């Protein structure tokens, strides 16, 4: 699909970046990086999506410094880009920068209230900070108190068996 779309609109970077994301998911990193580089030459330097996809590529390779730089650049270009906030929080968590990770996970959760993973990430960061009360409250806001209680009871039951 993307190859046809790219051929039909060779000056549009969006299809190149979309194909890069698919290629990253397929572990075709070199091809994805080629798409990212081609897209970067077609867009305005202020567009955050190129840096966001660069960040994804770096994150998947374990290059946390490069990923952090890319996500920070994307946010400098558009400070409301929720996905960049989310993945920057992941990188910061990997780097054990828990205060900053919590800040960006919280921003991502606010920017994308429909995305459960943002709040789950926030709960993980809070737990890593040993702020278990806040982590449980965040987790309950995602799962609901009743669901969380049932999960805890099932886990306790499994551990007792």
């Amino acid at each position: 699909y993307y190859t046809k779309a790219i051929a039909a609109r060779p000056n549009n970077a969006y299809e190149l970046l979309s194909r890069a994301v698919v290629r990253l998911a397929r572990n075709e990193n070199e091809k994805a990086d080629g798409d990212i580089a081609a897209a970067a030459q077609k867009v305005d330097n202020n567009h955050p999506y190129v840096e966001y996809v660069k960040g994804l590529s770096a994150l998947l390779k374990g290059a946390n410094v490069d990923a952090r730089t890319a996500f920070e650049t994307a946010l400098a270009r558009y400070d409301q880009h929720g996905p960049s906030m989310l993945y920057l929080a992941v990188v910061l968590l990997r780097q054990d920068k828990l205060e900053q990770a919590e800040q960006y996970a919280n921003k991502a959760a606010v920017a994308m209230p429909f995305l459960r993973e943002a709040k789950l990430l926030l709960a993980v960061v809070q737990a890593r900070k040993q702020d278990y009360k806040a982590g449980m409250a965040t987790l309950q806001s995602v799962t609901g108190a009743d669901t969380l209680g049932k999960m805890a009871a099932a886990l306790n039951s499994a551990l007792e068996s």
Side-chain angles (χ1 to χ4, degrees):
Y1 167 79
Y2 291 112
T3 302
K4 288 180 183 179
I6 292 164
R9 293 181 297 239
N11 292 322
N12 188 327
Y14 181 75
E15 283 85 4
L16 281 166
L17 293 170
S18 296
R19 184 172 69 181
V21 171
V22 169
R23 285 178 163 171
L24 288 170
R26 292 180 178 169
N27 207 22
E28 298 173 358
N29 296 332
E30 287 183 26
K31 290 179 180 179
D33 289 342
D35 285 344
I36 295 166
Q41 295 189 2
K42 296 178 186 286
V43 298
D44 180 327
N45 282 340
N46 291 322
H47 200 288
Y49 197 53
V50 172
E51 291 300 321
Y52 166 70
V53 178
K54 277 185 193 176
L56 290 178
S57 178
L59 185 65
L60 290 171
K61 294 173 190 168
N64 291 328
V65 173
D66 292 341
R68 180 177 177 176
T69 299
F71 294 131
E72 287 175 339
T73 302
L75 288 168
R77 292 178 181 170
Y78 179 60
D79 66 354
Q80 298 301 308
H81 193 247
S84 290
M85 293 175 198
L86 180 73
Y87 286 107
L88 179 55
V90 169
V91 171
L92 291 165
L93 179 62
R94 283 181 170 184
Q95 294 178 328
D96 211 30
K97 303 211 180 291
L98 301 180
E99 293 297 327
Q100 291 173 292
E102 183 177 33
Q103 175 188 359
Y104 281 102
N106 192 49
K107 285 182 177 185
V110 170
M112 302 179 297
F114 54 87
L115 189 65
R116 295 178 62 188
E117 289 81 358
K119 283 194 175 182
L120 291 172
L121 176 61
L122 178 58
V124 167
V125 172
Q126 291 166 330
R128 280 277 304 274
K129 287 179 60 186
Q130 297 182 347
D131 187 353
Y132 301 117
K133 186 174 181 179
M136 285 298 290
T138 301
L139 192 57
Q140 285 176 340
S141 76
V142 175
T143 63
D146 188 49
T147 302
L148 192 58
K150 288 178 184 175
M151 289 169 50
L155 180 59
N156 192 37
S157 175
L159 290 173
E160 289 176 355
S161 318

